Amino acid sequence: MQDKIGVPIEGFAAFSREVAAEGAVLLKNEQQVLPLKKGEKVAIFGRIQYDYYRSGTGSGGSVNVSYTTNLKDSLKETQMLMIDETVDHLYMDWLKAHPFDNGGGGWAAEPWFQQEMPVDKEVIDLASKRNDKAIVVIGRTAGEDQDNLAERGSYYLTEREEGLIKQVSESFRHVIVVLNTSNIIDTSWMMRFKVSGLLYSWHGGMEGGRACSDVLVGKVTPSGKLPDTIAHRLEDYPSNANYGGKAENIYQEDIYVGYRYFETFNKQAVQYPFGYGLSYTTFEWRDELLRYDTNEDRLSFSVTVTNTGSYPGKETVQAYVSLPQGQLGQPARELIGFKKTELLEVGAETTVSFDVSLAALATYDDSGVTGYKSSYVLEAGRYLFYLGRSVRELYELEVEGEPFTLKTTRLVAEQEEALAPVKAFKRIKPGERQANGEYRIAYEDVPTRMVDLQSRITARIPAEIQKVENQCYTLKQVAAGEVSLATFTGQLTDEELAILVRGEGMVSPLVTPGTASAFGGLSDRLVSLGIPVASCADGPSGIRMDSGHKATQVPIGTLLAATFNPELVEALYRFEGKELRQNEIDMLLGPGINIHRHPLNGRNFEYFSEDPLLTGVMAVSNIKGIMASGAHATVKHFACNSQEASRNKVDAVVSERALRQIYLKGFEMAVKNGQVKGIMTAYNPINGHWSASNYDLNTTILRKEWGYRGIVMTDWWAVMNDPVFGGPAAASYTDHMLRAQNDLYMVVNNYGAETNQSNDQTLKGLKTGTLTRAELQRSVQNILSFLMEAPVFNRKQVFRDHVGFIPETSAIEQEVTPLPEHGRVVIQSHASVTIEIKKTATYRLYAEYVSQGEDLSQVATAILLNDVNVATVQANGSTDASIEQKLPKVSLAKGYYQMTFADVKPGVSITAVTFQAL
Ligand code: BGC
């Protein structure tokens, strides 16, 4: 079969354009400044019109694309507008001397903003005479290992950007600002400048430029809604006082994240509310109805929506509840559902219906104040339901007859206390109600841990599978039902079990080039038992192959959430699933589903929203789309990765209620509604226990309570600590990881799963008792079960660590370095050398390198022989001393080869390459 690795799926990029357009959120449109009309004269300002961002940075943004689109060219492509050429030429000339600054291309090196061209007032004045309208494009990025900061050029506009908007809005009558940003940014300047149109186009992937243009010229009527609240001031966000800590952040705002806080305590702090977004057309709603089925305990709402404007468009109907304050205290509004209509032609109407179970509205009582400790309850009192266009524009739904009231508090589900904080702290809750309907902030003590983790863990250690001697059962026999998984596992030695819980990477030569890891049959004997080697790749918005292979880059998570259209997102991820299969990748490392706790988190772009329901629904669409092809999704980062600074140290100190209702909710939905089979734990600790060794997180809640049947992997080079006593963390504590039932350590060096047995605590733990064989077998069984369901199980396994003969070079312009007897070529960093191979043979390559990365950075350099990529050397963190890495085999005929290096992410310096004849 022809190798289809690196060949993007047809139609995928085009579909992603539709999605990117649907996620654009129009926040202001005075005097119908948009859409731009045919023949209108438009001057476009801001360099980002050319250097249009497609994604945030880091692992989630590293897709190699075959092309990208920018806004200026895309607008030109429509042939609808007269784009001012004078302004265009000014920028084009200036850009020659001021190219895009990628910070040198290293990990987390790209700056948040690109320097703007200074534009004279005169130029703008003259342009305003020639043109009807002006567009100003502002761009921002941020990402993994690089949070936004509360400073100009990051969350705030630079002086030059602000000056540009000011000047343009003083000269032009009609100004539209486009925000091509990965996060929400400060828009308080909207109150100062005369801007008539404001559009968040976010980062729309490789087709983002075209998608934005589609919206601006009205090919697409905007229908995106804000997945986050935009406050007037950064300081107004409830987490602001407890964000950015190095050692810990106390989640004092508790469940009052985003609009849950603002609608309850501080409405006037909001500039643009959650769920808000304008359309070019208008919709009328009528016949809002609420029914309550007492037998089934289900609520149904419906509303009829008519397009009464003059453009076709889609409407989003949002449903909210206001729960009785009761003993627990509640936010003023909570999203309980949303639906998007099909495209409604002018005059067309449709009825939108919801069906919600009463149980879904339950609240977790972590203190026992309702009489039901550690349970989901519905408190007595009056329940109010609303349908709306945003959290602010709501219609209260009347029930026929009596308002909806529960006379007594109801127990919905009894759970066991899990993951409660150890540290005492206070959280906020609604206090006295004021005349304006808002509540004063009151504080209460957060319930702390009562359970004895030691006895919980000990009591639940599974039974050990007895050794099955000298058998050679294969995994195929297990899949065929001829042998039980337990018997199969029983034949594995401790050493083999220990190999199975290690993944290798990055860019393992065993699997699809440039991907994040290989796991499963990482020794000859394991392969002989039919255990395949599976592969996973970043994600979330396209496949990352550091080998340079191409893939389709789709819009960022925040944009997807802004579509409020799960069916559309599912369809997009069906393409993603096909692309994964075609590239022989079993799992995508995505979606990222952490909550937008604070606007500055650099990875917010990979995540969906401040709201857990919207997050969970989007996660499920993503997962279902991918799984439709047979490939798998991996939801990450489980849980509470709320900032990038100190991400592998900062403890999330958070109540059990906030965890269950806000931070874990999306994961719960992914498990229960999406049947996801892959989870990646976060780098950070939660309530003193690192996520990857957090027993209550990975076992009590995830497996026991939610019934998860899949694998849990660590984040790359994560650290763990003792699941009972806490204490210091280290990457070698795989015994603690396994005890918590995080199954798989990601990652050890390539070829290291078998050879580095002494580098971690798995085997040592079996001896010292920090781990039992039964626990190790349990994780191995989780992994084996997964592998039997992974595409690789039915795929002819291609081990890619052998590069076949490559053409030799004929023209030799350089001095030749004959390959010495022991085959080691010492390189002056990044020099290119011509080597002479004296004997036709297959050679195993080894590289020695030093790297200058930061903690957890991912840097890589490819080795090319006669322009053929034969290996990629990958490093994380900094290594002053030279380190040796085993690389693939390559067959070379007698002759000359030019060896060069190509940086994938600068930061690795190769100092020597060894060719060992096999
Ligand atoms: C990131 C993960 C990513 C992994 C592999 C880590 O640095 O946190 O999200 O999937 O690397 O690239």
Side-chain angles (χ1 to χ4, degrees):
M1 202 186 84
Q2 198 198 349
D3 195 351
K4 290 269 188 73
I5 306 288
V7 183
I9 295 272
E10 217 174 297
F12 189 9
F15 191 75
S16 81
R17 172 178 176 175
E18 279 177 45
V19 180
E22 187 148 337
V25 184
L26 182 65
L27 292 180
K28 189 169 183 191
N29 197 21
E30 238 170 42
Q31 292 155 18
Q32 301 263 339
V33 65
L34 288 174
L36 300 170
K37 316 282 171 328
K38 193 162 173 59
E40 266 182 341
K41 297 189 186 116
V42 182
I44 316 176
F45 297 91
R47 70 167 303 154
I48 296 300
Q49 61 179 304
Y50 308 89
D51 294 317
Y52 201 74
Y53 286 109
R54 51 193 164 88
S55 168
T57 56
S59 63
S62 304
V63 183
N64 293 304
V65 289
S66 45
Y67 68 90
T68 187
T69 58
N70 72 30
L71 184 57
K72 147 63 202 324
D73 292 343
S74 304
L75 282 171
K76 213 164 158 203
E77 229 172 63
T78 66
Q79 297 189 345
M80 283 181 60
L81 308 171
M82 313 270 283
I83 296 174
D84 192 275
E85 290 190 357
T86 312
V87 173
D88 186 20
H89 288 151
L90 264 181
Y91 273 102
M92 303 269 264
D93 282 347
W94 185 82
L95 287 175
K96 284 182 200 144
H98 301 87
F100 185 86
D101 172 11
N102 70 356
W107 184 253
E110 193 175 312
W112 295 288
F113 76 100
Q114 295 293 316
Q115 191 194 348
E116 263 310 336
M117 175 176 92
V119 196
D120 290 344
K121 179 174 174 346
E122 210 188 322
V123 169
I124 298 176
D125 278 344
L126 286 173
S128 74
K129 304 225 160 64
R130 292 191 302 269
N131 294 284
D132 305 311
K133 293 173 180 172
I135 300 176
V136 182
V137 190
I138 301 289
R140 277 293 180 283
T141 196
E144 183 172 353
D145 260 345
Q146 199 180 17
D147 288 323
N148 277 299
L149 292 182
E151 58 184 50
R152 282 192 184 275
S154 189
Y155 189 70
Y156 300 101
L157 295 184
T158 63
E159 276 175 29
R160 212 173 263 179
E161 288 165 339
E162 195 168 322
L164 181 67
I165 299 179
K166 178 172 187 292
Q167 205 58 257
V168 173
S169 62
E170 278 169 8
S171 303
F172 278 80
R173 276 189 48 219
H174 300 295
V175 181
I176 299 137
V177 176
V178 171
L179 299 176
N180 170 217
T181 62
S182 53
N183 293 53
I184 57 169
I185 62 166
D186 172 63
T187 39
S188 58
W189 41 268
M190 282 295 287
M191 314 302 273
R192 295 196 296 278
F193 306 137
K194 212 172 66 26
V195 171
S196 355
L198 180 66
L199 182 77
Y200 258 99
S201 64
W202 314 107
H203 290 181
M206 60 198 289
E207 284 284 347
R210 290 206 178 109
C212 182
S213 150
D214 288 343
V215 173
L216 293 176
V217 302
K219 276 201 199 164
V220 173
T221 302
S223 65
K225 302 281 175 182
L226 280 181
D228 291 317
T229 310
I230 300 182
H232 286 291
R233 302 177 327 141
L234 193 58
E235 301 76 43
D236 290 329
Y237 285 93
S239 55
N240 196 56
N242 293 295
Y243 168 83
K246 287 199 167 64
E248 67 175 21
N249 284 317
I250 305 232
Y251 286 39
Q252 189 167 51
E253 73 284 2
D254 208 50
I255 59 162
Y256 300 92
V257 177
Y259 72 84
R260 283 172 168 72
Y261 169 83
F262 291 110
E263 297 309 302
T264 314
F265 302 107
N266 194 3
K267 282 177 116 170
Q268 56 285 359
V270 175
Q271 189 177 4
Y272 300 107
F274 175 85
Y276 180 71
L278 300 168
S279 174
Y280 296 153
T281 192
T282 50
F283 296 98
E284 229 172 68
W285 293 16
R286 65 184 155 76
D287 301 338
E288 293 99 358
L289 262 184
L290 170 72
R291 269 183 235 96
Y292 173 45
D293 179 343
T294 28
N295 295 330
E296 298 287 328
D297 263 343
R298 296 195 79 82
L299 299 146
S300 51
F301 323 113
S302 59
V303 58
T304 300
V305 176
T306 313
N307 182 350
T308 50
S310 32
Y311 296 87
K314 298 183 182 180
E315 174 72 312
T316 302
V317 181
Q318 303 161 35
Y320 293 88
V321 69
S322 169
L323 299 172
Q325 282 296 325
Q327 301 296 311
L328 292 166
Q330 299 292 352
R333 303 279 181 271
E334 260 186 300
L335 185 73
I336 54 170
F338 58 89
K339 285 264 168 73
K340 193 158 198 175
T341 66
E342 291 297 303
L343 187 74
L344 293 179
E345 294 301 329
V346 172
E349 68 172 42
T350 187
T351 298
V352 177
S353 318
F354 294 84
D355 177 47
V356 177
S357 88
L358 198 55
L361 313 181
T363 301
Y364 189 80
D365 179 2
D366 54 4
S367 67
V369 69
T370 64
Y372 300 102
K373 181 159 164 29
S374 311
S375 300
Y376 284 95
V377 294
L378 288 162
E379 282 204 86
R382 193 164 152 195
Y383 288 62
L384 300 173
F385 296 94
Y386 307 86
L387 290 181
R389 297 192 155 102
S390 76
V391 73
R392 278 291 162 84
E393 257 183 282
L394 299 177
Y395 302 90
E396 186 177 332
L397 289 169
E398 305 253 339
V399 200
E400 279 168 335
E402 291 292 295
F404 186 88
T405 306
L406 285 187
K407 298 220 163 52
T408 51
T409 294
R410 271 201 215 173
L411 172 66
V412 173
E414 198 177 333
Q415 308 296 0
E416 54 183 348
E417 180 208 302
L419 211 48
V422 181
K423 184 176 178 131
F425 68 101
K426 287 198 189 299
R427 64 180 168 195
I428 67 170
K429 70 176 291 197
E432 179 198 339
R433 187 151 192 204
Q434 305 175 84
N436 64 2
E438 288 175 12
Y439 292 84
R440 279 192 207 288
I441 294 182
Y443 293 88
E444 67 176 10
D445 288 328
V446 173
T448 47
R449 190 164 89 197
M450 314 272 285
V451 295
D452 175 4
L453 273 176
Q454 176 77 76
S455 23
R456 174 175 283 179
I457 295 174
T458 317
R460 296 177 185 178
I461 288 182
E464 185 178 325
I465 301 167
Q466 291 313 305
K467 273 256 164 65
V468 176
E469 294 299 337
N470 287 330
Q471 301 287 357
C472 294
Y473 295 124
T474 66
L475 202 55
K476 285 264 183 262
Q477 288 176 288
V478 180
E482 295 161 17
V483 175
S484 73
L485 182 60
T487 306
F488 181 88
T489 310
Q491 70 182 336
L492 302 173
T493 64
D494 290 348
E495 287 71 21
E496 286 161 355
L497 293 169
I499 295 169
L500 275 161
V501 296
R502 297 188 188 112
E504 292 178 352
M506 313 270 298
V507 293
S508 162
L510 298 180
V511 289
T512 302
T515 53
S517 110
F519 66 97
L522 295 177
S523 76
D524 290 345
R525 149 103 173 141
L526 292 176
V527 171
S528 78
L529 298 176
I531 303 178
V533 181
S535 69
C536 32
D538 283 311
S541 48
I543 302 173
R544 166 186 180 194
M545 288 175 279
D546 277 356
S547 48
H549 284 90
K550 306 283 190 279
T552 307
Q553 188 159 34
V554 306
I556 59 171
T558 306
L559 184 154
L560 299 182
T563 67
F564 274 67
N565 189 341
E567 291 80 20
L568 189 77
V569 172
E570 186 174 332
L572 180 74
Y573 273 80
R574 262 194 228 126
F575 278 105
E576 186 68 67
K578 284 192 194 144
E579 203 160 290
L580 287 165
R581 291 299 301 266
Q582 176 159 304
N583 283 291
E584 302 188 351
I585 296 164
D586 299 281
M587 310 180 82
L588 186 75
L589 300 175
I593 66 169
N594 294 79
I595 292 293
H596 291 173
R597 175 176 180 249
H598 191 276
L600 296 186
N601 182 5
R603 289 189 98 166
N604 277 352
F605 82 94
E606 291 184 59
Y607 308 147
F608 295 116
S609 165
E610 67 185 23
D611 180 74
L613 178 74
L614 180 56
T615 297
V617 169
M618 286 297 152
V620 170
S621 313
N622 219 290
I623 294 161
K624 282 192 173 159
I626 292 177
M627 286 178 74
S629 72
H632 286 276
T634 314
V635 286
K636 65 187 188 185
H637 304 92
F638 192 45
C640 297
N641 180 44
S642 303
Q643 69 181 47
E644 285 296 290
S646 301
R647 61 180 168 152
N648 57 349
K649 296 182 192 72
V650 62
D651 191 13
V653 181
V654 52
S655 81
E656 205 189 336
R657 178 178 177 196
L659 280 166
R660 287 166 178 278
Q661 288 185 218
I662 306 287
Y663 296 99
L664 303 186
K665 195 73 199 168
F667 292 95
E668 181 177 0
M669 290 173 69
V671 170
K672 291 184 175 168
N673 309 350
Q675 273 79 49
V676 74
K677 290 282 158 50
I679 294 184
M680 183 194 295
T681 44
Y683 282 125
N684 53 280
I686 303 171
N687 291 329
H689 293 284
W690 263 263
S691 305
S693 52
N694 196 314
Y695 182 86
D696 273 349
L697 181 72
N698 295 301
T699 299
T700 315
I701 294 182
L702 178 64
R703 318 252 187 187
K704 188 163 174 290
E705 189 179 314
W706 300 346
Y708 178 64
R709 304 258 169 283
I711 50 171
V712 179
M713 64 180 78
T714 66
D715 200 341
W716 272 229
W717 312 283
V719 295
M720 290 77 67
N721 68 344
D722 190 297
V724 175
F725 306 109
S732 58
Y733 291 159
T734 45
D735 50 343
H736 299 328
M737 169 190 94
L738 293 159
R739 178 145 284 184
Q741 212 176 165
N742 180 320
D743 308 305
L744 189 52
Y745 188 78
M746 295 294 200
V747 285
V748 302
N749 283 346
N750 293 325
Y751 302 104
E754 185 179 11
T755 52
N756 296 349
Q757 287 282 17
S758 56
N759 284 1
D760 63 36
Q761 295 288 330
T762 307
L763 294 176
K764 287 175 217 152
L766 290 179
K767 294 207 179 83
T768 59
T770 50
L771 176 69
T772 63
R773 182 169 299 110
E775 289 167 307
L776 175 57
Q777 288 169 332
R778 175 177 66 184
S779 281
V780 164
Q781 292 196 76
N782 291 337
I783 294 167
L784 293 173
S785 301
F786 174 82
L787 288 172
M788 285 188 280
E789 287 182 26
V792 70
F793 199 58
N794 297 311
R795 183 169 74 217
K796 187 173 174 312
Q797 179 103 50
V798 185
F799 292 102
R800 297 180 177 276
D801 67 337
H802 186 180
V803 181
F805 283 99
I806 56 174
E808 39 182 301
T809 186
S810 42
I812 292 135
E813 290 151 11
Q814 277 182 305
E815 199 183 310
V816 175
T817 308
L819 200 62
E821 207 49 17
H822 64 290
R824 188 163 178 274
V825 188
V826 178
I827 317 281
Q828 298 305 316
S829 188
H830 279 78
S832 126
V833 279
T834 303
I835 52 166
E836 183 185 357
I837 294 285
K838 294 210 161 130
K839 187 176 109 198
T840 298
T842 294
Y843 294 85
R844 164 72 70 191
L845 302 186
Y846 296 85
E848 273 174 36
Y849 69 89
V850 288
S851 83
Q852 304 91 33
E854 294 285 313
D855 196 16
L856 296 176
S857 63
Q858 299 179 12
V859 285
T861 294
I863 301 177
L864 297 100
L865 289 179
N866 292 348
D867 289 337
V868 176
N869 181 337
V870 290
T872 306
V873 179
Q874 196 279 336
N876 69 293
S878 82
T879 47
D880 293 337
S882 195
I883 290 202
E884 189 177 67
Q885 198 170 96
K886 188 171 168 184
L887 299 172
K889 294 176 274 195
V890 55
S891 297
L892 297 172
K894 208 160 146 315
Y896 299 98
Y897 296 85
Q898 190 163 30
M899 181 160 70
T900 48
F901 303 106
D903 277 336
V904 181
K905 278 265 176 230
V908 185
S909 299
I910 299 175
T911 49
V913 178
T914 301
F915 292 70
Q916 184 192 37
L918 298 175

